[in-house]
Amino acid sequence: MSGELSGDYTNYTVQIPPTPDNQPMDGMEPQSVAMKAEEQYVSNSLFTGGFNSVTRAHLMDKVIDSEVSHPQMAGAKGSKCAMPACDGKVIRNERGEDIDPCECRFKICRDCYMDAQKDGGTCPGCKEPYKIGDYEDDVPDFSAGALPLPAPGMSVMNSNKSMLMRSQTGDFDHNRWLFETKGTYGYGNALWPKDGMYEDEIDGGMGDGIPETTDKPWKPLTRKIQMPAGVISPYRLLIFGRLIVLFFFLGWRVKHPNEEAIWLWGMSIVCEVWFAFSWLLDVLPKLRPINRETDLSVLKDKFEMPSPDNPTGRSDLPGVDVFVSTADPEKEPPLVTANTILSILAVDYPVEKLACYVSDDGGALLTFEAMAEAASFANIWVPFCRKHDIEPRNPDSYFNVKGDPTKNKRRQDFVKDRRKVKREYDEFKVRINGLPDSIRRRSDAFNAREEMKMLKHMRESGGDPLEPIKVQKATWMADGTHWPGTWAISAPEHSKGDHAGILQVMLKPPSADPLFGLPDDEQMIDFSDVDIRLPMMVYMSREKRPGYDHNKKAGAMNALVRASAVMSNGPFILNLDCDHYIYNYQAIREGMCFMMDRGGERICYIQFPQRFEGIDPSDRYANHNTVFFDGNMRALDGIQGPVYVGTGCMFRRFALYGFDPPSTVEYKGWFLKKEKKNMYPTDTEAETQSLRAEDFDGDLNAALMPKRFGNSEALAESIPIAEFQGRPLADHPGIKYGRPPGALRVPRPPLDPHTVAEAVSVISCWYEDKTEWGDRVGWIYGSVTEDVVTGFRMHNRGWRSVYCITKRDAFRGSAPINLTDRLHQVLRWATGSVEIFFSRNNALLASSRLKFLQRVAYLNVGIYPFTSIFLLVYCFLPALSLFTGHFIVQTLSIAFLIYLLIITLFLICIAILEVKWSGVGLEEFWRNEQFWLISGTSAHLYAVVQGLLKVIAGIEISFTLTSKSAGDDVEDIYADLYIVKWSSLMIPPITIMMVNIIAIAFGFAKTVYSEVPNWSKLMGGAFFSFWVLAHLYPFAKGLMGRRGKTPTIVFVWSGLIAITLSLLWISISPPQGGGAAAAGTFQFP
């Protein structure tokens, strides 16, 4: 294999021309003090901006009230500048040590150093010129990978000069920079180097072709495991058999109407036909379930093992940007979000390749300071996890795990370290929980000071002392300045729907090489053999203004996509809800195995199953949803891939931009004939080089890029880079569109203010105007279930997805365990499905690239809420049968009972086999059936009504966030289970229960007191009534609560409705005298 491939990849390198965030390193001096100063300036500045406003960088010497020690974090402690009347902090290196630009060791801050450079480059201390070239610093080591080529006409001094375009007040003049530099962020393409470029390379490198790692036998990163034939074959046969039996049964029902109650028979026939159709839509996509497994050792061997061309083992894995979204700190506690962030920062992935972005859609200072506290605590938590292989890496979950914490721990200092970290975490929780009161007291103090200033000014100016003083009740940051986001007391430009865009680099990008800690005597824990670097972390709150549709969560996610593309441009994106943390610290590596394997270039996303904590042991309301996550989703993986379900999903950034996959298959004609199509250029050279936008989409050119992606050149030029870096390694002949080994070992350039300023620009409220964001690009707008629609659009373009079930759960989160919140959650999902059905995202309108069974699955997503109409009617049929004395069939004949028995046996056998291949327990299967009826008679029914109102009358639907806080009883973790709040969703199920209970009593009394008892019809009606009541049992149990918390109005309304319906029916059709001829009899054969 090596011989075949070495000629194709000989002397390959990647050229990335100079941009403001990427400067040529070939031939330049060691990294200058100016670069260090710029990097420190970025991490210590809060950037704000937006529509019709200047992008400003507010230099913060203090981010939170507590002390910050990690050198990567904003507001880290440091020495003071030695310049007179200057209180700035001295420039520091990666370890937090002071940098002395001059041999005289004169301490100087970034701003004073820049001023000295402008005034001739003379040191203010010794009055001698600075010798930048003599400064010894870490020189980026490019021997571990491809060398970037020098760019013509670009010097380092010109770059540094462009970095100084800001006023002395710290405000960055973005418009001036765009004018003077023409705002060019262009990225280049992958190019073949000229002959002889690496002739002087020592011992191979890339000069002899493919690195030595490709001389090893090629191994796949993943493996597909088919279901055992002994399970899946009978399963398919039973489905086919039940379908045939249903066909004959429905035919028999149509041919044998109940002449005595034709209306009852007609309603039952319509409902049964719909149930058969709905069952078919649900079961057809389950015909091809599969399992998958990954090999993490092969991933490490391919991308991180030391070799002659990579002696240090620098990682060749692509970058990953992790998105965490939150919107309301009252309903989404900051401590929960902070623990999620800590689990991300401690994940097992190359530190320099990872970036964490937090989107605060509420713009709350509470969330901002909580994230800063989390970044500060990560200084001890992350190295502790790496040192002792801690799992899970959510500190709250870890310290609450029952069992022996010393199990499998080999280091002697583990117990001592754990005690110290536990003590620090307890203090961290106290600080987080005390933030609301701390911010309030601080704001009150600063507001009182402002009032005193105004009062003093009024007295000095001779104003009327009786005139009331009007001072805005602002919210103040720790450094004594106004918070640019939402204030506790809303004010113009400081409310949830009206505030500037905010971006703060909480943790600046780490150095490319490991940075080990200090011995125990110099810090709290001995991290001398542990890499203490932290991944980049960014806080972001997009700009919001009145009159703009901000598109809720989908809009926030798209803002994250654009900001991250400008700042880090990771080719893969992992999105998590604020309450879903990383439970398996190798989860990202598991997903990367699929993306980097053969065929990975056609995968748009990796969906992980959702697992939940804090669910009651009986799982009363089927919160675990295992039938869906372990059954339906696993089955879809065997077709074109699982649907996107909102969290725990790793995306290919390039697929989110609305492009087609490199190759796809179209299914044409009545017989769905396959036709393969290559979407990209097919020449050999193009298969291993980054492409232009025109190569991805023939209808797209440079002139049309702003119309689709907006007017940011940085964003547009980052697209080909993201596509190229997201390719798998070209180490196998079957991988057409790959990249050469070593292409991603080049260190990430440091952030500069211009890059961050551009990121602020792309999160402004006007940026998406007249673009295709939300229509074709990014998360799709127009539905409350934007996740399903976004995944559907990708599948519709020919991409496929993968379902990744890991041995240890990848992620864990929380779910509402009380009845009301659970029903409202299901209501939102079902309403989104109705919107999908009435939109152009209906699977019936899908392209020919969507597989037939995948189309059926998406069709079921849009249709399942409509089953509630027929289910509601069917739940009342037993009661109507008992009231009237008629049944859905004229007599309980042998044929009817045999059909019923066969269908039931088929259903039981199918359920047993489904439990077998999916791993779902029988109790979980039964809980799912129960909640299907509960939600079908409540939330799904309301969703259909709301969806129709939106389509017909244009009435918009609004939903509130599900509260993730605990119940009133802190002693009981399941206290929320007993909380029942009033909701109109409860009326239909309660009415069904009461009507059926009354009907059973009425039917029994009527039969007992009749002259000739008709027990057969009583048995038929009573059996189905008990079937309904058995399914509604969890709902009835939930209404009882624990201390009588159920609102009285629930029973009053439901009782009145049930009694009214019963009396109305009796008055319309009063009981007739029971003669022998009229009553009839029933005899078993």
Side-chain angles (χ1 to χ4, degrees), residues 867 871 927-937 940 1027:
T867 303
L871 186 60
R927 284 282 182 252
N928 184 77
E929 290 296 312
Q930 288 179 310
F931 194 74
W932 169 76
L933 191 141
I934 294 170
S935 59
T937 55
H940 295 177
W1027 176 85

Side-chain angles (χ1 to χ4, degrees), residues 154-169:
M154 194 73 179
S155 68
V156 180
M157 293 309 295
N158 289 339
S159 170
N160 288 339
K161 183 178 179 181
S162 70
M163 292 180 182
L164 306 178
M165 296 178 186
R166 71 176 54 79
S167 64
Q168 294 301 309
T169 60

Side-chain angles (χ1 to χ4, degrees), residues 7-25:
D8 294 338
Y9 298 111
T10 301
N11 296 346
Y12 182 92
T13 190
V14 176
Q15 176 181 352
I16 305 180
T19 63
D21 57 343
N22 175 66
Q23 299 299 330
M25 303 299 296

Side-chain angles (χ1 to χ4, degrees), residues 220-254:
L221 292 168
T222 63
R223 190 163 67 97
K224 185 189 298 185
I225 304 174
Q226 300 293 340
M227 292 294 173
V231 174
I232 198 63
S233 296
Y235 179 74
R236 292 167 179 166
L237 286 174
L238 285 170
I239 290 175
F240 182 70
R242 187 171 190 260
L243 183 61
I244 295 175
V245 174
L246 278 175
F247 178 78
F248 283 106
F249 171 70
L250 292 174
W252 183 89
R253 290 278 282 117
V254 172

Side-chain angles (χ1 to χ4, degrees), residues 797-985:
R797 286 192 290 269
W799 292 94
R800 65 159 292 111
S801 58
V802 167
Y803 199 50
C804 181
I805 301 180
T806 55
K807 292 181 180 179
R808 180 183 177 88
D809 295 343
F811 310 102
R812 283 194 177 180
S814 61
I817 62 174
N818 71 77
L819 179 61
T820 308
D821 284 346
R822 177 69 166 133
L823 289 178
H824 278 96
Q825 182 187 57
V826 174
L827 172 63
R828 184 175 66 84
W829 296 341
T831 303
S833 295
V834 176
E835 291 176 339
I836 291 172
F837 182 79
F838 287 111
S839 70
R840 59 175 176 160
N841 298 307
N842 191 313
L844 293 173
L845 307 177
S847 71
S848 58
R849 298 178 186 176
L850 196 67
K851 291 186 177 181
F852 172 74
L853 291 181
Q854 193 80 16
R855 188 187 301 264
V856 171
Y858 273 114
L859 186 62
N860 187 42
V861 168
I863 284 180
Y864 82 87
F866 295 95
T867 303
S868 61
I869 301 172
F870 304 93
L871 186 60
L872 183 71
V873 173
Y874 211 73
C875 286
F876 279 112
L877 287 184
L880 294 176
S881 175
L882 292 170
F883 282 133
T884 61
H886 301 294
F887 195 46
I888 56 176
V889 292
Q890 190 146 359
T891 59
L892 291 178
S893 64
I894 296 176
F896 176 77
L897 293 175
I898 290 177
Y899 273 123
L900 198 62
L901 179 63
I902 294 175
I903 291 173
T904 304
L905 288 176
F906 266 109
L907 187 63
I908 292 173
C909 292
I910 290 172
I912 291 174
L913 288 176
E914 188 170 329
V915 164
K916 186 75 174 176
W917 62 254
S918 67
V920 179
L922 282 173
E923 184 178 359
E924 294 172 318
F925 198 88
W926 170 238
R927 284 282 182 252
N928 184 77
E929 290 296 312
Q930 288 179 310
F931 194 74
W932 169 76
L933 191 141
I934 294 170
S935 59
T937 55
S938 57
H940 295 177
L941 184 67
Y942 278 57
V944 172
V945 175
Q946 289 186 351
L948 291 174
L949 286 175
K950 181 178 180 180
V951 172
I952 298 172
I955 299 176
E956 288 295 327
I957 306 163
S958 61
F959 293 92
T960 56
L961 284 171
T962 302
S963 177
K964 298 175 176 62
S965 57
D968 298 333
D969 189 357
V970 294
E971 299 294 332
D972 186 359
I973 61 174
Y974 305 124
D976 281 357
L977 183 67
Y978 310 107
I979 298 176
V980 182
K981 295 165 283 188
W982 160 247
S983 173
S984 58
L985 296 174

